[in-house]
């Protein structure tokens, strides 16, 4: 985990939780000037979340360090999102990290369009530097429009993005309707597994983690 948290009680809680999960916290920076990021989440009747994301928090100021450079040079895969790049400091650090990875590393751009915290510039630059592009079905038309792409249906949009940016894989999650994978080899659509929804927060991240794990294998 590479991130930045405040020197406050919430930051202490984050470290305790990560330590409890056995995760390495070496690259979790502490920020004395900005608080730990918080998000107010309201769940609708269908279990879908609505987010209110606090601005000017520690993760907006992720700093480039020799430790991060060393990590970049020995990583097998890096997953980076659009939301984390809303602040210039973090955007520059993430960009430097991605550029510092080895040619053999897998670079995964996970689109997360929250509130107004994204731009065509960030979407284009991040997709250009990625090997895998992952987004949900609601984000597909917004990404296409932001990148000046033609208006196409979902599968054709994924194919257009794969060709345009020379991607190894484009993944679209479809909520309770499963997922779509598009590669040079073809198109794969999975209907998903029926579940009783309790809380979808973090579901996309869990999906991405599984996708990357099996892609590396």
């Amino acid at each position: 985990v590479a991130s930045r948290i405040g020197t406050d009680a919430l930051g202490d809680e984050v470290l305790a939780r990560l330590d409890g999960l056995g995760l390495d916290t070496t690259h979790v920076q502490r920020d004395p000037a900005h608080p730990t990021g918080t998000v107010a989440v309201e769940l609708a009747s269908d279990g879908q979340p609505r987010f209110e994301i606090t601005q000017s928090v520690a993760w907006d100021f992720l700093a480039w360090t020799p430790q991060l450079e060393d990590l970049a040079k020995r990583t097998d895969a890096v997953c980076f999102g659009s939301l984390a790049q809303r602040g210039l400091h973090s955007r520059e650090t993430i960009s430097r990290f991605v550029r510092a990875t080895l040619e053999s590393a897998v670079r995964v751009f996970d689109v997360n369009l929250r509130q107004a915290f994204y731009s065509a510039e960030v979407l284009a630059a991040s997709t250009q530097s990625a090997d895998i592009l992952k987004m949900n079905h609601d984000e597909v038309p917004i990404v296409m429009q932001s990148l000046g792409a033609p208006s196409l249906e979902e599968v054709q949009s994924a194919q257009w993005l794969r060709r345009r940016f020379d991607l190894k894989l484009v993944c679209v999650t479809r909520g309770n309707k499963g997922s779509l994978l598009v590669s040079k080899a073809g198109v794969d659509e999975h209907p998903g597994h029926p579940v009783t929804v309790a809380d979808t927060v973090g579901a996309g991240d869990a999906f991405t983690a599984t996708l990357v794990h099996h892609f590396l294998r």
Side-chain angles (χ1 to χ4, degrees):
V1 180
S3 191
R4 190 173 176 93
I5 57 179
T7 53
D8 48 25
L10 284 177
D12 294 340
E13 186 179 337
V14 168
L15 286 183
R17 179 65 63 88
L18 293 176
D19 287 336
L21 292 170
L23 293 172
D24 183 3
T25 59
T26 303
H27 303 287
V28 179
Q29 303 170 4
R30 302 300 298 263
D31 188 325
H34 301 92
T36 299
T38 55
V39 183
V41 184
E42 181 181 346
L43 293 179
S45 58
D46 61 356
Q48 296 300 311
R50 306 287 183 270
F51 300 96
E52 186 64 40
I53 305 169
T54 310
Q55 299 189 57
S56 195
V57 293
W59 59 261
D60 287 313
F61 298 89
L62 185 65
W64 180 247
T65 63
Q67 290 78 18
L68 279 185
E69 184 173 15
D70 176 68
L71 178 64
K73 291 177 179 178
R74 55 186 173 86
T75 193
D76 295 312
V78 54
C79 181
F80 60 103
S82 52
L83 178 60
Q85 298 182 71
R86 68 176 182 178
L88 183 60
H89 286 82
S90 290
R91 187 186 314 161
E92 290 179 346
T93 297
I94 290 170
S95 178
R96 291 182 70 172
F97 189 99
V98 173
R99 291 199 307 270
T101 56
L102 299 176
E103 186 64 30
S104 58
V106 177
R107 291 162 281 275
V108 185
F109 176 39
D110 190 353
V111 176
N112 28 46
L113 306 183
R114 300 282 185 260
Q115 295 166 218
F117 300 136
Y118 64 91
S119 67
E121 178 187 3
V122 167
L123 292 176
S126 297
T127 306
Q128 189 69 57
S129 62
D131 299 303
I132 297 176
L133 173 65
K134 181 253 180 182
M135 53 194 159
N136 67 40
H137 63 287
D138 291 327
E139 293 166 334
V140 174
I142 301 174
V143 170
M144 291 290 282
Q145 184 179 25
S146 297
L147 297 178
S151 179
L152 303 169
E153 58 85 31
E154 195 167 87
V155 173
Q156 290 177 324
S157 293
Q159 291 172 326
W160 185 92
L161 289 165
R162 192 202 66 76
R163 291 191 301 267
R164 169 66 178 79
F165 293 94
D166 193 26
L167 296 162
K168 294 178 180 178
L169 187 68
V170 175
C171 172
V172 179
T173 55
R174 295 168 163 172
N176 62 2
K177 293 181 174 61
S179 59
L180 163 72
L181 296 179
V182 172
S183 69
K184 191 175 182 179
V187 175
D188 185 82
E189 298 180 85
H190 193 285
H193 300 284
V195 296
T196 301
V197 176
D199 185 344
T200 62
V201 175
D205 295 318
F207 187 101
T208 303
T210 306
L211 178 72
V212 174
H213 172 74
H214 286 284
F215 186 87
L216 289 174
R217 290 183 57 149

